[in-house]
Amino acid sequence: PRHDAADEIRMLAAVKLFELKKFSSGAAARLAGIGRVEFLQRLGDYGVATFRQTDEELLEEISNA
């Protein structure tokens, strides 16, 4: 159906903008028309990592804690 296609296009755009670091997770969720938690949960369906820290950033954060 047309409505489902529009929802999927919004979700794809939101995921891509989040992946490119153009949108925060909250802004991307609003674009997709869903809650932030649901957006973060669905990122894996599109092959996008929920957390965007590199291994080095994570190790640095842990060592400074």
Coordinates of all heavy atoms in Angstrom, one line a residue:
P1 N 0.8 -1.2 0.0 CA 0.0 0.0 0.0 C 0.9 1.3 0.0 O 2.0 1.3 0.5 CB -0.8 -0.1 1.3 CG -0.8 -1.6 1.6 CD 0.5 -2.1 1.1
R2 N 0.3 2.3 -0.5 CA 1.0 3.6 -0.6 C 1.5 4.1 0.7 O 2.6 4.6 0.8 CB 0.1 4.6 -1.3 CG 0.7 5.9 -1.6 CD -0.2 6.7 -2.4 NE 0.5 7.9 -2.8 CZ 0.0 8.8 -3.6 NH1 -1.2 8.7 -4.1 NH2 0.7 9.9 -3.9
H3 N 0.6 4.0 1.8 CA 1.0 4.5 3.1 C 2.2 3.8 3.6 O 3.1 4.4 4.2 CB -0.2 4.4 4.0 CG 0.1 4.9 5.4 ND1 0.3 6.2 5.7 CD2 0.1 4.2 6.6 CE1 0.5 6.3 7.0 NE2 0.4 5.2 7.6
D4 N 2.3 2.4 3.4 CA 3.4 1.6 3.9 C 4.7 2.1 3.2 O 5.7 2.1 3.8 CB 3.1 0.2 3.7 CG 2.0 -0.4 4.6 OD1 1.7 0.3 5.6 OD2 1.5 -1.5 4.3
A5 N 4.6 2.3 1.9 CA 5.8 2.7 1.2 C 6.3 4.1 1.7 O 7.5 4.3 1.8 CB 5.4 2.8 -0.3
A6 N 5.4 5.0 2.0 CA 5.8 6.3 2.5 C 6.5 6.2 3.8 O 7.5 6.8 4.1 CB 4.6 7.3 2.6
D7 N 5.9 5.3 4.7 CA 6.5 5.1 6.0 C 7.9 4.5 5.9 O 8.9 4.9 6.6 CB 5.7 4.1 6.8 CG 4.4 4.7 7.3 OD1 4.2 5.9 7.2 OD2 3.5 3.9 7.7
E8 N 8.1 3.5 5.0 CA 9.4 2.9 4.8 C 10.4 3.9 4.2 O 11.6 3.9 4.6 CB 9.3 1.7 3.8 CG 10.6 0.9 3.6 CD 11.1 0.3 4.9 OE1 10.4 0.1 5.9 OE2 12.3 -0.1 4.8
I9 N 10.0 4.8 3.3 CA 10.9 5.8 2.7 C 11.3 6.7 3.8 O 12.5 7.1 3.9 CB 10.2 6.5 1.6 CG1 10.1 5.6 0.4 CG2 11.0 7.8 1.2 CD1 9.2 6.1 -0.7
R10 N 10.4 7.2 4.7 CA 10.8 8.0 5.8 C 11.8 7.3 6.7 O 12.7 7.9 7.2 CB 9.6 8.5 6.6 CG 8.8 9.7 6.0 CD 7.8 10.3 6.9 NE 6.8 9.4 7.4 CZ 5.8 9.0 6.8 NH1 5.5 9.5 5.6 NH2 4.9 8.2 7.3
M11 N 11.5 6.1 7.0 CA 12.5 5.3 7.9 C 13.8 5.2 7.2 O 14.8 5.4 7.9 CB 11.9 3.9 8.2 CG 12.7 3.1 9.1 SD 12.8 3.9 10.8 CE 13.8 2.7 11.6
L12 N 13.9 4.9 6.0 CA 15.2 4.7 5.3 C 15.9 6.1 5.3 O 17.1 6.1 5.5 CB 14.9 4.3 3.8 CG 14.5 2.8 3.7 CD1 14.0 2.5 2.3 CD2 15.7 1.9 4.1
A13 N 15.2 7.2 5.1 CA 15.9 8.5 5.1 C 16.4 8.8 6.5 O 17.5 9.3 6.6 CB 14.9 9.6 4.6
A14 N 15.6 8.5 7.5 CA 16.0 8.7 8.9 C 17.2 7.9 9.2 O 18.2 8.4 9.9 CB 14.8 8.4 9.8
V15 N 17.2 6.6 8.9 CA 18.4 5.8 9.2 C 19.6 6.3 8.5 O 20.7 6.4 9.1 CB 18.1 4.3 8.7 CG1 19.3 3.5 8.8 CG2 17.0 3.7 9.6
K16 N 19.5 6.7 7.2 CA 20.7 7.2 6.5 C 21.2 8.5 7.1 O 22.4 8.6 7.2 CB 20.3 7.3 5.0 CG 21.5 7.6 4.1 CD 22.5 6.3 4.2 CE 23.6 6.4 3.3 NZ 24.5 5.3 3.5
L17 N 20.3 9.4 7.4 CA 20.8 10.6 8.0 C 21.4 10.4 9.4 O 22.4 11.1 9.7 CB 19.6 11.6 8.1 CG 19.1 12.1 6.7 CD1 17.8 12.8 6.9 CD2 20.1 13.1 6.2
F18 N 20.9 9.5 10.1 CA 21.5 9.1 11.4 C 22.9 8.5 11.2 O 23.9 8.9 11.8 CB 20.6 8.1 12.2 CG 21.3 7.6 13.5 CD1 21.3 8.4 14.6 CD2 21.8 6.4 13.5 CE1 21.9 8.0 15.8 CE2 22.4 5.9 14.7 CZ 22.4 6.7 15.8
E19 N 23.0 7.6 10.2 CA 24.2 6.9 9.9 C 25.3 7.9 9.5 O 26.5 7.8 9.8 CB 24.0 5.9 8.8 CG 25.2 5.1 8.4 CD 25.0 4.1 7.3 OE1 24.1 4.3 6.5 OE2 25.6 3.1 7.3
L20 N 24.9 8.9 8.7 CA 25.8 10.0 8.2 C 26.1 11.0 9.3 O 26.9 12.0 9.0 CB 25.3 10.6 7.0 CG 25.2 9.7 5.7 CD1 24.4 10.4 4.6 CD2 26.5 9.3 5.3
K21 N 25.5 10.9 10.5 CA 25.7 11.8 11.6 C 25.2 13.2 11.3 O 25.6 14.2 11.8 CB 27.2 11.9 12.0 CG 27.7 10.5 12.5 CD 29.2 10.6 12.9 CE 29.6 9.2 13.3 NZ 31.0 9.3 13.8
K22 N 24.2 13.2 10.4 CA 23.5 14.5 10.1 C 22.3 14.7 11.1 O 21.9 15.9 11.3 CB 22.9 14.5 8.7 CG 24.0 14.3 7.6 CD 24.9 15.4 7.5 CE 25.9 15.2 6.3 NZ 26.8 16.3 6.2
F23 N 21.7 13.6 11.6 CA 20.6 13.7 12.5 C 21.0 13.0 13.8 O 21.6 12.0 13.8 CB 19.4 13.1 12.0 CG 18.5 13.9 11.1 CD1 19.0 15.0 10.4 CD2 17.2 13.6 10.9 CE1 18.2 15.8 9.6 CE2 16.4 14.4 10.1 CZ 16.9 15.5 9.5
S24 N 20.5 13.5 14.9 CA 20.6 12.7 16.2 C 19.6 11.6 16.1 O 18.7 11.6 15.3 CB 20.3 13.7 17.4 OG 18.9 14.1 17.3
S25 N 19.6 10.7 17.1 CA 18.7 9.6 17.1 C 17.3 10.2 17.3 O 16.3 9.7 16.7 CB 19.0 8.6 18.1 OG 19.1 9.2 19.4
G26 N 17.1 11.2 18.1 CA 15.8 11.8 18.4 C 15.2 12.4 17.1 O 14.1 12.3 16.8
A27 N 16.1 13.2 16.4 CA 15.6 13.9 15.2 C 15.3 12.8 14.1 O 14.3 13.0 13.4 CB 16.7 14.8 14.7
A28 N 16.1 11.8 14.0 CA 15.8 10.7 13.0 C 14.5 10.0 13.4 O 13.7 9.7 12.5 CB 17.0 9.8 13.0
A29 N 14.3 9.7 14.7 CA 13.0 9.1 15.1 C 11.8 9.9 14.7 O 10.8 9.4 14.2 CB 13.1 8.8 16.6
R30 N 11.9 11.2 15.0 CA 10.8 12.1 14.6 C 10.5 12.1 13.1 O 9.4 12.0 12.7 CB 11.1 13.5 15.1 CG 10.9 13.7 16.6 CD 11.0 15.2 17.0 NE 12.3 15.8 16.8 CZ 13.3 15.7 17.6 NH1 13.2 15.0 18.7 NH2 14.4 16.3 17.3
L31 N 11.6 12.1 12.3 CA 11.4 12.0 10.9 C 10.7 10.7 10.5 O 9.8 10.7 9.6 CB 12.7 12.1 10.1 CG 12.7 11.9 8.6 CD1 11.9 12.9 7.9 CD2 14.1 11.9 8.1
A32 N 11.1 9.6 11.1 CA 10.5 8.3 10.8 C 9.1 8.1 11.4 O 8.4 7.2 11.0 CB 11.4 7.2 11.4
G33 N 8.8 9.0 12.3 CA 7.4 9.0 12.9 C 7.3 7.9 14.0 O 6.2 7.4 14.2
I34 N 8.4 7.6 14.6 CA 8.3 6.6 15.7 C 9.1 7.1 16.9 O 9.8 8.2 16.8 CB 9.0 5.2 15.2 CG1 10.4 5.4 14.8 CG2 8.1 4.6 14.2 CD1 11.1 4.1 14.4
G35 N 9.0 6.5 18.0 CA 9.7 6.9 19.2 C 11.2 6.6 19.1 O 11.7 5.7 18.3
R36 N 12.0 7.3 19.9 CA 13.5 7.2 19.8 C 13.9 5.8 20.2 O 14.8 5.2 19.5 CB 14.1 8.2 20.8 CG 15.6 8.2 20.8 CD 16.2 9.3 21.7 NE 17.6 9.1 21.8 CZ 18.2 8.4 22.8 NH1 17.4 7.8 23.7 NH2 19.5 8.3 22.8
V37 N 13.4 5.2 21.2 CA 13.8 3.8 21.6 C 13.5 2.8 20.5 O 14.3 2.0 20.1 CB 13.1 3.4 22.9 CG1 13.3 1.9 23.2 CG2 13.5 4.3 24.0
E38 N 12.3 2.9 19.9 CA 12.0 2.0 18.7 C 12.9 2.3 17.6 O 13.4 1.3 16.9 CB 10.5 2.2 18.3 CG 10.2 1.3 17.2 CD 8.7 1.4 16.7 OE1 8.0 2.2 17.3 OE2 8.4 0.8 15.7
F39 N 13.3 3.5 17.3 CA 14.2 3.8 16.2 C 15.5 3.1 16.5 O 16.1 2.5 15.6 CB 14.4 5.3 16.1 CG 15.4 5.7 15.0 CD1 15.1 5.6 13.7 CD2 16.7 6.1 15.4 CE1 16.0 6.0 12.7 CE2 17.6 6.4 14.4 CZ 17.3 6.4 13.1
L40 N 16.0 3.3 17.7 CA 17.3 2.7 18.0 C 17.3 1.2 17.9 O 18.2 0.5 17.5 CB 17.8 3.1 19.4 CG 18.2 4.6 19.5 CD1 18.3 5.0 21.0 CD2 19.4 4.9 18.7
Q41 N 16.2 0.6 18.3 CA 16.0 -0.9 18.3 C 16.0 -1.4 16.8 O 16.4 -2.4 16.5 CB 14.7 -1.3 19.0 CG 14.8 -1.2 20.5 CD 13.5 -1.4 21.2 OE1 12.4 -1.3 20.6 NE2 13.6 -1.8 22.4
R42 N 15.4 -0.6 15.9 CA 15.3 -1.0 14.5 C 16.5 -0.7 13.7 O 16.5 -1.2 12.5 CB 14.0 -0.3 13.9 CG 12.7 -0.8 14.5 CD 11.5 -0.2 14.0 NE 11.4 -0.4 12.5 CZ 10.5 0.2 11.8 NH1 9.6 1.0 12.3 NH2 10.5 0.0 10.5
L43 N 17.5 0.0 14.2 CA 18.7 0.3 13.4 C 19.3 -1.0 12.9 O 19.8 -1.0 11.7 CB 19.7 1.1 14.2 CG 19.3 2.6 14.3 CD1 20.3 3.2 15.3 CD2 19.3 3.3 13.0
G44 N 19.4 -2.0 13.7 CA 20.0 -3.3 13.3 C 19.3 -3.9 12.1 O 20.0 -4.6 11.3
D45 N 18.0 -3.7 11.9 CA 17.3 -4.2 10.8 C 17.9 -3.6 9.5 O 17.7 -4.2 8.4 CB 15.8 -3.9 10.8 CG 15.1 -4.5 12.0 OD1 15.7 -5.5 12.6 OD2 14.0 -4.0 12.4
Y46 N 18.5 -2.5 9.6 CA 19.1 -1.8 8.4 C 20.6 -1.9 8.4 O 21.3 -1.2 7.6 CB 18.6 -0.3 8.4 CG 17.1 -0.2 8.3 CD1 16.3 -0.2 9.4 CD2 16.5 -0.2 7.0 CE1 14.9 -0.1 9.3 CE2 15.1 -0.1 6.9 CZ 14.3 -0.1 8.0 OH 13.0 0.0 7.9
G47 N 21.2 -2.7 9.3 CA 22.6 -2.8 9.3 C 23.4 -1.6 9.8 O 24.6 -1.5 9.5
V48 N 22.8 -0.8 10.7 CA 23.4 0.4 11.2 C 23.6 0.2 12.7 O 22.7 -0.2 13.4 CB 22.5 1.6 10.9 CG1 23.2 2.8 11.6 CG2 22.4 1.8 9.4
A49 N 24.8 0.4 13.2 CA 25.1 0.3 14.6 C 24.4 1.3 15.4 O 24.3 2.5 15.0 CB 26.6 0.4 14.8
T50 N 23.9 0.9 16.6 CA 23.2 1.8 17.5 C 24.2 2.8 18.1 O 23.9 4.0 18.2 CB 22.5 1.0 18.6 OG1 21.6 0.1 18.0 CG2 21.7 1.9 19.5
F51 N 25.3 2.3 18.5 CA 26.4 3.1 19.1 C 27.4 3.4 18.1 O 27.9 2.5 17.4 CB 27.0 2.4 20.3 CG 25.9 2.1 21.4 CD1 25.4 0.8 21.5 CD2 25.4 3.1 22.2 CE1 24.4 0.6 22.4 CE2 24.5 2.9 23.1 CZ 23.9 1.6 23.3
R52 N 27.9 4.7 18.1 CA 28.8 5.1 17.0 C 30.2 5.4 17.5 O 30.9 6.1 16.9 CB 28.2 6.3 16.3 CG 26.9 6.0 15.7 CD 26.4 7.1 14.8 NE 25.9 8.2 15.7 CZ 25.2 9.2 15.2 NH1 25.1 9.3 13.9 NH2 24.8 10.2 15.9
Q53 N 30.6 4.8 18.7 CA 31.9 5.1 19.2 C 32.9 4.1 18.5 O 32.6 2.9 18.3 CB 32.0 4.8 20.7 CG 31.4 5.9 21.5 CD 31.6 5.7 23.0 OE1 31.3 4.6 23.4 NE2 32.1 6.7 23.7
T54 N 34.1 4.6 18.2 CA 35.1 3.7 17.7 C 35.7 2.9 18.9 O 35.4 3.2 20.1 CB 36.3 4.4 17.1 OG1 36.9 5.2 18.1 CG2 35.8 5.3 15.9
D55 N 36.4 1.8 18.6 CA 37.0 1.1 19.7 C 37.9 1.9 20.5 O 38.0 1.8 21.7 CB 37.8 -0.1 19.1 CG 36.9 -1.2 18.5 OD1 35.7 -1.2 18.8 OD2 37.4 -2.0 17.7
E56 N 38.7 2.8 19.8 CA 39.6 3.7 20.5 C 38.9 4.6 21.5 O 39.3 4.9 22.6 CB 40.5 4.5 19.5 CG 41.4 3.6 18.7 CD 40.8 2.9 17.6 OE1 39.7 3.3 17.1 OE2 41.3 1.8 17.2
E57 N 37.8 5.2 21.0 CA 37.0 6.1 21.8 C 36.4 5.4 23.0 O 36.4 6.0 24.1 CB 35.8 6.7 21.0 CG 36.3 7.7 19.9 CD 35.2 8.1 19.0 OE1 34.2 7.4 18.8 OE2 35.3 9.2 18.5
L58 N 35.9 4.2 22.9 CA 35.4 3.5 24.0 C 36.5 3.1 25.0 O 36.3 3.3 26.2 CB 34.7 2.2 23.5 CG 34.0 1.3 24.5 CD1 33.0 2.1 25.2 CD2 33.5 0.1 23.8
L59 N 37.6 2.7 24.5 CA 38.7 2.4 25.4 C 39.2 3.6 26.2 O 39.5 3.5 27.4 CB 39.9 1.8 24.7 CG 39.7 0.3 24.2 CD1 40.8 -0.1 23.3 CD2 39.5 -0.6 25.3
E60 N 39.2 4.7 25.5 CA 39.6 6.0 26.2 C 38.6 6.4 27.3 O 38.9 6.8 28.4 CB 39.8 7.1 25.2 CG 40.2 8.4 25.8 CD 40.4 9.5 24.7 OE1 40.8 9.2 23.6 OE2 40.1 10.7 25.1
E61 N 37.3 6.2 26.9 CA 36.3 6.5 27.9 C 36.3 5.6 29.1 O 36.2 6.1 30.2 CB 34.9 6.4 27.2 CG 33.8 6.9 28.1 CD 32.5 6.9 27.3 OE1 32.4 7.4 26.2 OE2 31.5 6.4 27.9
I62 N 36.6 4.4 28.9 CA 36.7 3.4 30.0 C 37.9 3.7 30.9 O 37.8 3.7 32.1 CB 36.7 2.0 29.5 CG1 35.4 1.6 28.8 CG2 37.1 1.0 30.6 CD1 35.4 0.3 28.1
S63 N 39.0 4.0 30.3 CA 40.2 4.3 31.0 C 40.1 5.6 31.8 O 40.8 5.8 32.9 CB 41.5 4.4 30.1 OG 41.4 5.5 29.3
N64 N 39.3 6.5 31.4 CA 39.1 7.8 32.1 C 38.0 7.7 33.2 O 37.8 8.7 33.9 CB 38.7 8.9 31.1 CG 39.9 9.3 30.2 OD1 41.1 9.1 30.6 ND2 39.6 9.8 29.0
A65 N 37.3 6.6 33.3 CA 36.2 6.5 34.2 C 36.7 6.2 35.6 O 37.8 5.8 35.9 CB 35.3 5.4 33.8

